[in-house]
Amino acid sequence: MPYQAEHLHENDLIALYKNMLYPRMIEEKMLILLRQGKVSKWFSGIGQEAISVGVTMALKSDEYILPMHRNLGVFTTRKIPLEQLISQWNGKASGFTKGRDRSFHFGSQAHKIIGMISHLGPQLGVADGIALAHKLQNKNRVTAVFTGEGGTSEGDFHEALNVASVWQLPVIFCIENNGYGLSTPTNEQYYCKDLADRAIGYGMESYIIDGNNIVDVFTEVKAIAESIRQNHRPVLIEFKTFRMRGHEESSGTDYVPNSLFETWKTKDPIDNFEQFLQSKSVLSEDLKNEIKTEFSHIINEAIATSFEESDIIPSKSLELNDVYQQFKYQEVIVNNNFNSIRFIDAISESLKQSMERHDNLIMMGQDIAEYGGAFKITKGFVEQFGKDRIRNTPICESAIIENAMGLSIAGMKSVVEMQFGDFISSGFNPVVNLLAKSHYRWGQNADVVIRMPCGGDVGAGPFHSQTNEAWFNKTPGLKVVYPAFPYDAKGLLATAINDPNPVLFFEHKALYRTIQQDVPEDYYTLPFGKASVVRKGEDITIISYGASVHWALNTLDKHQDISADLIDLRTLQPLDTEAIYDSVKKTSKVIILQEDSLFGGIASDISALIMEHCFEFLDAPVKRVGSLETPIPFTKNLENQYLPKERFEIALLALLAY
Ligand SMILES: Cc1ncc(C[n+]2csc(CCOP(=O)(O)OP(=O)(O)O)c2C)c(N)n1
């Protein structure tokens, strides 16, 4: 193999060699332990070490790298302690995820490494977010992210490249083209000669590098990184290489022709480089043996230390405590200068005041800049805060939510506006798998608020009227806020932005311009997990949130003789169970009204909780009322039939008469 190494000092050459050899020797040991059933699942990077090592050595130590499942060389080159790595793979408490996630599904801020979630593609958008943060912070840093060739078929890949290009982000996208995605060969994965050509469509430059030649990888990536630091832009690199073992160790390689293994064996990145170094008298036999003996010793010691560590003793409180980052709510109260404003103005004011308070807060969304967003909530923001902080995005919910994760990793806050809450389905994966699980998995918070204009009664049909909070209430790690009044909306949104955890903030569109209230002019906060009792009464408890609070109010206005507690939950996660139980214990009858179709919604869980905690206090069965079990229709008559307003009145009267 030809090595153009004249520009490299002998010490650099030895460092490249050692950094490749170390992960190879660890892997060889792992394979033995795996066969003995002593380690969990293993994805081999044997034969691909030059890429992990070359890229990592080409970057500076304060620059982030986002590796995949075959990039042990990234972790070892960044000098992650081996005992801790082994404990991670063995599910021990001192591993990076405390036994909560396996293999390379973790990150380490100390080493500027951000590990993957299983879904592969989301890594790429996260890299965009980190690079965006660095660009906004005027740090000349490159971010490198890996994907296999299989992962390039995912929408996330295309979205991330497009965003990086449109925003000219300093990201090096590294495709490790190793011939197979599990058992799928490249000709069943994509229909073009070189994946590097994908860059053309995104107006991006690209390179093809021999991924088995450590000198080429290191030298070329170093030059590309230096150039990107000077002149911010993304670059796509396709590394040609080969996967020398199965997808994972138990899956075999029957589908790979033997001739391919034979050909690629001759291209082994370590054997060839070793021979080259020996031919140049850089590596003597003695030195080689010395290095190998030293590594062997380190590896055996680390394995012994890790295996001595006892198994995790499960603790419910430890598990539950790590789902969210601790947040110390800071109350800000104001009691003067009230103005009568609409729900929509309250949201807008709150956003503006938070933008003024948090220099590290940015907003992203479709058409939110000059146009002011679909509902004009951010009108005028660009003039005040500039386009760096008020960012129009391409139409790619997944990549933008992944960007938000990346911003958080690099110390920034973000608010992402969904044009309509319905479109979160196009960014569902990063919300429920990346933002929600990150803190529990490896202690990395996602300081992101996603604004969700939602809800029906607006004649907008199945794709612009859903109230999809139940998709998220279900997922540990997310907070869900759903105000019904301008005062609550303003204060709760300020808290959502202060909270370092991911918050889904639901804004009912039918309330935007119809509900008005006296609201303090200045900035204030309201706590999560505290319901508000909108009406006080004795005979029945009505529990609701969002627009349906107003439907309940209208019903009570029509029936002045009904004495009811009307509880507006305000936040669904956390849920104020105390307020619910206190009221039910007082009134002994309870009806829960939700706008969403009934099955699987929050009303069902609240009903179950009441049964479990207040059964002895009940004088009647708990009643739930919600929309029909259909998608939400567009035509007024159909929508009226779908929504539960009329059914609520009937059910309320029936329950009172029970
Ligand atoms: C969204 C998603 N679909 C399917 C999988 C299962 N899966 C895990 S790795 C893999 C193959 C990945 O191939 P490639 O991106 O080429 O990387 P390689 O394993 O070859 O390094 C598949 C199908 C997954 N993890 N995520």
Side-chain angles (χ1 to χ4, degrees), residues 69-70 118-120 148-151 154 178 180-182 243 247:
H69 47 292
R70 286 185 213 291
S118 277
H119 302 67
L120 315 167
E149 84 289 345
E154 288 188 53
N178 64 5
Y180 287 83
L182 213 157
R243 198 191 68 201
H247 168 64

Side-chain angles (χ1 to χ4, degrees), residues 116 129 133 176 190 206 220 268 293 300 344 360 369 399 401 444 470 473 506 516 612:
M116 62 189 292
E176 286 186 89
Y190 56 86
S206 67
E220 294 186 40
D268 186 85
T293 310
N300 287 335
I344 197 164
N360 66 341
I401 293 165
Q444 174 60 55
N473 289 327
F506 286 83
Q516 193 141 345
E612 284 163 15

Side-chain angles (χ1 to χ4, degrees), residues 289-301:
N289 291 335
E290 199 182 298
I291 293 169
K292 288 190 175 174
T293 310
E294 188 202 342
F295 284 164
S296 218
H297 178 71
I298 294 172
I299 293 166
N300 287 335
E301 288 267 290

Side-chain angles (χ1 to χ4, degrees), residues 484-499:
F485 294 93
Y487 175 79
D488 293 339
K490 184 171 172 182
L492 289 169
L493 184 51
T495 303
I497 293 169
N498 291 339
D499 193 317

